Amino acid sequence: YDKLHKKYDFTLDPACQSNNQKCINGFPIDKGYNGLKESWANHTVFLNPPYGREIAKWLKKAYEEWKKNNITIVCLIPSRTDTSYWHDYVMKGEIIFIRGRLKFGDSKSPAPFPSAIIVFSKSDSE
């Protein structure tokens, strides 16, 4: 995150919990917010969406906010190239595959899947 933040200067974390919010602005789910229903306009967004069945909704939202508001959105997601959402939304951005498997927080074990960073860049949405 720190390396990406240094490059993009994120201002919004729309899919966070109050104890792991990465940006000055966020929509913490545990505080009753739903980032899928909020506007992301006028922000540079870091999105680490819930990795369950709703991930497609988050990537659709990211894609739509990018196109509508001409903003930069950087997503950290599982690399699941066989899914519909990957083909419908992810492939419209810049895809950066991460070598190896990520470890989150103080976890001793890495994630059980490969990850990718997806960049929907402000300059590319026009």
Side-chain angles (χ1 to χ4, degrees):
Y1 171 83
D2 293 334
K3 188 175 179 182
L4 292 169
H5 180 58
K6 189 173 187 175
K7 180 175 181 176
Y8 294 103
D9 193 24
F10 299 121
T11 60
L12 178 66
D13 184 351
C16 60
Q17 298 281 343
S18 55
N19 67 345
N20 68 5
Q21 183 174 321
K22 294 289 190 190
C23 305
I24 193 161
N25 300 291
F27 300 128
I29 295 165
D30 59 318
K31 299 279 185 177
Y33 290 97
N34 182 345
L36 291 170
K37 295 182 179 179
E38 304 286 343
S39 173
W40 302 357
N42 304 311
H43 285 286
T44 303
V45 179
F46 174 74
L47 176 65
N48 184 5
Y51 288 178
R53 296 183 184 269
E54 300 231 331
I55 193 169
K57 292 178 185 177
W58 285 97
L59 290 165
K60 179 181 181 191
K61 172 75 170 175
Y63 174 78
E64 290 172 347
E65 288 283 334
W66 169 56
K67 294 305 274 184
K68 177 181 175 185
N69 297 307
N70 188 29
I71 59 175
T72 296
I73 302 170
V74 178
C75 310
L76 174 60
I77 63 171
S79 180
R80 296 190 174 128
T81 61
D82 59 333
T83 60
S84 294
Y85 68 77
W86 189 275
H87 291 267
D88 294 343
Y89 308 113
V90 172
M91 289 180 61
K92 293 177 173 51
E94 175 189 359
I95 302 167
I96 304 163
F97 291 101
I98 297 172
R99 184 176 183 171
R101 303 229 170 151
L102 295 178
K103 285 187 179 179
F104 293 95
D106 295 330
S107 175
K108 293 180 182 180
S109 301
F113 47 77
S115 299
I117 296 167
I118 312 309
V119 180
F120 296 112
S121 180
K122 181 177 183 175
S123 61
D124 294 338
S125 70
E126 300 175 310

